[in-house]
Amino acid sequence: MTPEGTLRGDAVHVGGDARQRFHDSRGYGRPVEGNEIALTRIEAAHLLFRGDLSAVVVDGDALEFEAFFVRAAAASTRFTVRFLVYSDLRDRGFYLSPAREGWPGGRHAAADAVDFVVYERGSDPEDGAVAHHVRVVGERETIAAADVAGQTLAVVDEESDLTYFGATTPELDGATPYQPPAGLAGVLLADRVVVWDAPPDLYQHGFYGQPLSGRDSDLGGALQLSLLEAAALADAGALALTETVDAAAATVDDDAETPASDATDDYAAIVARGRAVEGERFDRRLRTYEDLRGRDLVPKTGFKFGADFRTYRDVETVEDLPHSEHLVRVVQADHTFEPRELSLDVRLAGGVRKRMLFALVEGDGNGVRGGDGAADEIEYVEIGRLTP
């Protein structure tokens, strides 16, 4: 005989042999008294959908799946998307528990935003071997970037299709411990710096800049540096400016706040130029660039991929350049993702055989250099497509 449940408060209670039938054998609900168990509305709806419950009694009415589903969806705007994810993971062979106090999943929830705790195949809620902390997200919701590390995002689109993303804190250890030579001399132009007689190693082994000379040029050592590269080299004491083109030649953002700089400080002059041509984003990107270099990674522009940087772990020579591993987008620490934006970034990175990395920069952007204040903190989050 197929049992029925009764809604009491926010849980559906099922008696009889429910503990053995549903909890002990298949990981549904939580034990209450004797053989009785309590189910969340999601769990009860899934058992109704499968035909394992005959009905759920609500206010004296015995509701079958359709009526109970509509009633539950009316009580919670997120019921439908959560039910779709719960059912999909059950169909994939996982046991999972709601991440709420009093239920088995409540012991393992990584954050308040987590909806379900999913156990490794072959494990049940009693074993506690967790495979995923799942956060259910509708296509039109937003996701705080600072909250996602350690979570599996289950995005439900407008046609009820599911896409899973895994968010992790990566190990960023490079293998390019290049030390730039001292004594570099450059000219600050509108939005870049040219070093006329750069030593070959700066580009060939450090992968700084881009050669200016062509095949028929006599300027074999001329190297163009981005403002980020030039600022980092000046900060390290390796680069000095011999000439500065009037800042009026740069494209100035009138709305950007450009703090006054000491004209004798080459680093300050380059940073001021970066702020003038790029605005407040320059400081966050420079902080990230220097941090990645400090980890012995080589960041280069990610413009062709719609990102801030692409990174190389181990550069021995540009002639034998390895494949870049990450695309990096630099965002503020309080950035929120839209699922469509996130899907686009991750899909593009995967399409070019790279992993998508987000640098979350905490701070006001003025603490780039140690002497200018406390350095801004950076949290890295790597997000990729996932098949549970």
Side-chain angles (χ1 to χ4, degrees):
M1 180 178 177
T2 306
E4 68 177 22
T6 302
L7 181 64
R8 300 176 193 164
D10 66 347
V12 174
H13 290 251
V14 185
D17 63 349
R19 176 165 184 166
Q20 293 86 356
R21 182 189 294 218
F22 298 128
H23 178 74
D24 293 346
S25 64
R26 289 187 281 168
Y28 286 93
R30 61 181 175 89
V32 183
E33 294 179 357
N35 287 326
E36 183 177 320
I37 63 170
L39 303 167
T40 64
R41 287 180 173 88
I42 297 286
E43 293 173 307
H46 188 252
L47 288 172
L48 281 170
F49 181 73
R50 290 173 50 88
D52 292 331
L53 285 180
S54 61
V56 172
V57 177
V58 181
D59 298 331
D61 297 326
L63 306 181
E64 295 183 355
F65 172 75
E66 294 87 346
F68 181 78
F69 186 90
V70 171
R71 182 79 64 94
S76 172
T77 57
R78 302 189 69 249
F79 174 84
T80 304
V81 292
R82 294 175 71 241
F83 175 81
L84 291 171
V85 173
Y86 183 91
S87 297
D88 181 70
L89 290 168
R90 278 284 182 179
D91 289 346
R92 291 172 184 267
F94 289 102
Y95 289 170
L96 62 156
S97 301
R100 55 188 283 189
E101 187 176 354
W103 264 257
R107 302 193 305 263
H108 308 288
D112 291 340
V114 172
D115 291 283
F116 303 115
V117 173
V118 180
Y119 304 96
E120 294 179 359
R121 285 189 174 87
S123 297
D124 59 32
E126 300 304 320
D127 294 335
V130 176
H132 304 283
H133 293 93
V134 174
R135 176 177 181 175
V136 180
V137 183
E139 178 184 345
R140 297 176 182 87
E141 297 181 58
T142 58
I143 311 161
D147 294 342
V148 300
Q151 298 176 10
T152 295
L153 305 176
V155 179
V156 184
D157 68 21
E158 64 182 356
E159 295 185 353
S160 301
D161 282 335
L162 306 184
T163 304
Y164 293 94
F165 299 96
T168 59
T169 301
E171 294 290 335
L172 295 176
D173 298 319
T176 311
Y178 178 80
Q179 295 298 320
L184 300 172
V187 177
L188 176 59
L189 303 177
D191 63 351
R192 65 204 64 225
V193 170
V194 175
V195 177
W196 296 114
D197 55 353
D201 273 6
L202 188 63
Y203 174 71
Q204 289 294 333
H205 299 293
F207 206 8
Y208 281 92
Q210 183 73 16
L212 179 64
S213 58
R215 181 175 299 176
D216 298 326
S217 173
D218 293 331
L219 300 175
L223 198 65
Q224 301 176 85
L225 301 172
S226 72
L227 292 175
L228 294 175
E229 294 172 313
L233 289 169
D235 193 20
L239 173 67
L241 297 179
T242 59
E243 185 179 353
T244 299
V245 171
D246 190 339
T251 302
V252 178
D253 180 357
D254 292 332
D255 294 328
E257 295 183 3
T258 305
S261 60
D262 181 355
T264 63
D265 187 332
D266 296 330
Y267 172 81
I270 298 169
V271 170
R273 185 62 57 82
R275 291 169 178 168
V277 301
E278 190 174 343
E280 48 85 23
R281 288 186 65 249
F282 181 81
D283 292 82
R284 291 196 298 273
R285 295 178 68 237
L286 176 56
R287 178 72 187 93
T288 305
Y289 179 90
E290 293 192 318
D291 184 74
L292 292 170
R293 278 283 184 179
R295 296 169 182 265
D296 291 338
L297 293 164
V298 177
K300 297 293 287 184
T301 179
F303 173 79
K304 292 181 180 180
F305 308 103
D308 288 290
F309 304 111
R310 66 191 194 275
T311 64
Y312 298 87
R313 183 178 183 275
D314 187 4
V315 176
E316 294 185 2
T317 175
V318 172
E319 272 73 22
D320 189 22
L321 197 64
H323 185 74
S324 58
E325 293 86 6
H326 283 105
L327 293 183
V328 183
R329 273 193 64 199
V330 180
V331 298
Q332 292 176 300
D334 61 356
H335 179 75
T336 57
F337 295 116
E338 293 185 0
R340 189 184 303 271
E341 161 204 15
L342 188 62
S343 180
L344 179 63
D345 284 337
V346 172
R347 174 71 73 176
L348 191 151
V352 292
R353 297 181 296 138
K354 306 182 197 308
R355 302 191 301 278
M356 194 67 217
L357 187 68
F358 296 91
L360 283 55
V361 182
E362 177 74 49
D364 59 10
N366 292 324
V368 176
R369 193 180 194 180
D372 293 339
D376 301 330
E377 295 183 2
I378 301 177
E379 176 186 353
Y380 293 99
V381 179
E382 183 179 308
I383 302 180
R385 284 287 298 271
L386 180 69
T387 301

